[in-house]
Amino acid sequence: MSDSAPQDAATQAIHQHNHQTFQHLKMAVGLNLRRQFFIAVCDNLNLRNHLAMQLQTELMGTETPSPRAPHQFVSLILDLTDPNPVGQIATWLHQHPQGKNSNLLGFQILGIEGLTRQNPAIQRLFLSYLRTIERNLPRLNCSVLLWVTRPWANTVQQAAPECWNWSTGIFEFAGDPVPLLS
């Protein structure tokens, strides 16, 4: 018996866990309930990018009431100079007024791991924006999915507990961390 059998079983278990977690996340976002706030935790940035792309693709391909009004699920990269997720969404909606009238499922915010290299003032600014998300999200009338690494999930939970507690769902994916590239 080889040493690879336990490793293969562990890899299969991780894959199955991630698949189930992804299906739950897709179902939750796909329900198209307004003003929902989801947090997805994933340390493996390659896996996160794959899952975010797959989520966007699968959600935009779901059945719609009219073929002329497909679902929209928008991916945004967090602006590290002004890390305000709600502000970025509001800007996108202003720049794409047709988005307000479409079957907009919501937004997923990527790139939060980049805050690790920002100065503490920018990091605190991001956390202060998260503390107000419960108050600001209803104005947008859409759902938001925030992709974070485990260290950022811990930071959000501790420094912005109102955001963490207000979230509709937290989805944790398993995978080895991928270091940030310089």
Side-chain angles (χ1 to χ4, degrees), residues 7 15 24-25 35 53 84-85 87 92 94 111 123 125 130 132 137 139 141-142 145 156 161-162 169 173 179-180:
Q7 185 178 12
H15 177 72
H24 291 141
L25 174 60
R35 297 175 294 278
M53 184 181 299
N84 181 352
W92 187 93
H94 180 73
Q123 294 176 10
L125 182 61
L130 289 185
T132 65
L137 191 59
R139 293 183 298 132
N141 198 34
C142 64
L145 168 60
V156 169
E162 41 289 89
F173 294 91
L180 296 176

Side-chain angles (χ1 to χ4, degrees), residues 44-162:
N44 185 314
L45 299 180
N46 296 327
L47 175 62
R48 188 270 326 260
N49 292 340
H50 170 76
L51 293 170
M53 184 181 299
Q54 184 177 353
L55 185 63
Q56 185 171 10
T57 301
E58 289 187 21
L59 286 173
M60 291 176 70
T62 58
E63 293 295 319
T64 60
S66 162
R68 294 188 183 122
H71 282 118
Q72 274 191 291
F73 188 65
V74 179
S75 296
L76 298 174
I77 304 298
L78 184 69
D79 178 356
L80 298 177
T81 60
D82 182 17
N84 181 352
V86 173
Q88 279 187 252
I89 292 168
T91 299
W92 187 93
L93 289 169
H94 180 73
Q95 293 171 347
H96 302 87
Q98 76 281 6
K100 292 179 182 175
N101 300 324
S102 72
N103 289 322
L104 183 64
L105 290 171
F107 294 85
Q108 60 182 345
I109 308 294
L110 304 157
I112 293 158
E113 68 283 351
L115 287 169
T116 302
R117 286 197 224 123
Q118 300 300 311
N119 69 53
I122 294 290
Q123 294 176 10
R124 283 191 301 273
L125 182 61
F126 171 70
L127 293 167
S128 73
Y129 286 134
L130 289 185
R131 284 186 207 101
T132 65
I133 203 149
E134 179 181 7
R135 183 172 65 238
N136 292 316
L137 191 59
R139 293 183 298 132
L140 301 176
N141 198 34
C142 64
S143 294
V144 175
L145 168 60
L146 196 68
W147 286 92
V148 296
T149 58
R150 193 157 316 282
W152 272 104
N154 294 335
T155 300
V156 169
Q157 190 174 13
Q158 292 171 8
E162 41 289 89

